[in-house]
Amino acid sequence: MKKFLVSCLDHFESYLCQFLLVFFVVVVFMQIILRFVGHSLPWTEEIARFAFIWFILFGACYATRLCALNRVTLQFSRMPRRVTDIFLFISDMIWLAFSLMMAWQGYLAVMDLREFPYATPALDWDLGMIYLVFPLSFLLMAIRILQVNYIKFVLKQEIADPDQEAIKESQSALLDDGKGGAA
């Protein structure tokens, strides 16, 4: 049970992003079909836009957990591993500070919208609830930054770069196809 719970928490953003992606694709597809037959629902574009924004922000959190966000690391290629790790740690701490600042500013924006409510045009939803994505996602991103650095520097585990893993899989698939085609 504990492993299942840890796995769910570790992949929370992945599951949420999968749901949001399917949701907004279905909603947009439904809107296209309804427009084609002469009907239109005013709320579909708005809810799809909100789902897409939530998808992007929680996707960034998931990419943070996977160490898959783009970084410029070419300047470290000729430096010793220890120096590279120090500079990457410093940049992660700056990123952590930025994420915490964005979470705080998002919280303040939500509190302003709670004090002076504003409703979305088509759905008539409280915009403060929609804007909760900003403090939640940036706070989760800060947690993931700390988690990744804990794994790298305290547990001394290497986190595999998903892009490099995909390249290796593609190369091995190409090599296997080349051998299979020659036989």
Side-chain angles (χ1 to χ4, degrees), residues 16-30:
L16 183 59
C17 286
Q18 290 172 31
F19 170 77
L20 289 170
L21 179 63
V22 169
F23 177 75
F24 79 75
V25 167
V26 167
V27 168
V28 169
F29 181 71
M30 181 179 69

Side-chain angles (χ1 to χ4, degrees), residues 7-176:
S7 177
C8 285
L9 289 175
D10 204 34
H11 299 289
F12 167 74
E13 302 95 330
S14 173
Y15 302 140
L16 183 59
C17 286
Q18 290 172 31
F19 170 77
L20 289 170
L21 179 63
V22 169
F23 177 75
F24 79 75
V25 167
V26 167
V27 168
V28 169
F29 181 71
M30 181 179 69
Q31 177 67 352
I32 291 168
I33 298 299
L34 287 174
R35 281 186 183 174
F36 184 73
V37 297
H39 286 350
S40 182
L41 297 174
W43 55 268
T44 55
E45 292 177 32
E46 190 171 280
I47 200 165
R49 186 179 326 116
F50 294 149
F52 186 66
I53 291 168
W54 280 60
F55 169 75
I56 290 169
L57 290 169
F58 281 110
C61 294
Y62 189 56
T64 302
R65 171 61 186 95
L66 296 177
C67 291
L69 285 176
N70 292 334
R71 290 182 174 194
V72 179
T73 57
L74 181 65
Q75 68 273 20
F76 302 130
S77 63
R78 298 197 186 261
M79 292 184 184
R81 177 72 180 187
R82 181 134 173 88
V83 173
T84 299
D85 286 345
I86 290 170
F87 279 113
L88 289 176
F89 180 78
I90 291 169
S91 68
D92 280 351
M93 292 305 104
I94 293 169
W95 183 19
L96 175 67
F98 173 77
S99 295
L100 290 173
M101 182 189 68
M102 288 298 291
W104 177 250
Q105 291 301 318
Y107 170 76
L108 294 177
V110 168
M111 288 298 106
D112 283 346
L113 286 169
R114 300 298 297 156
E115 187 176 347
F116 305 105
Y118 183 80
T120 61
L123 293 167
D124 197 36
W125 287 355
D126 180 11
L127 200 59
M129 293 296 107
I130 303 298
Y131 275 29
L132 266 177
V133 70
F134 293 103
L136 291 176
S137 64
F138 280 102
L139 185 60
L140 185 56
M141 194 177 298
I143 291 168
R144 294 304 191 187
I145 293 166
L146 292 172
Q147 179 184 19
V148 164
N149 279 286
Y150 177 79
I151 291 169
K152 284 188 335 191
F153 297 115
V154 175
L155 299 178
K156 305 277 190 219
Q157 296 176 1
E158 193 65 34
I159 299 175
D161 182 4
D163 292 333
Q164 293 301 321
E165 294 295 320
I167 289 170
K168 287 178 186 174
E169 287 177 21
S170 295
Q171 288 173 340
S172 67
L174 285 173
L175 292 174
D176 289 345

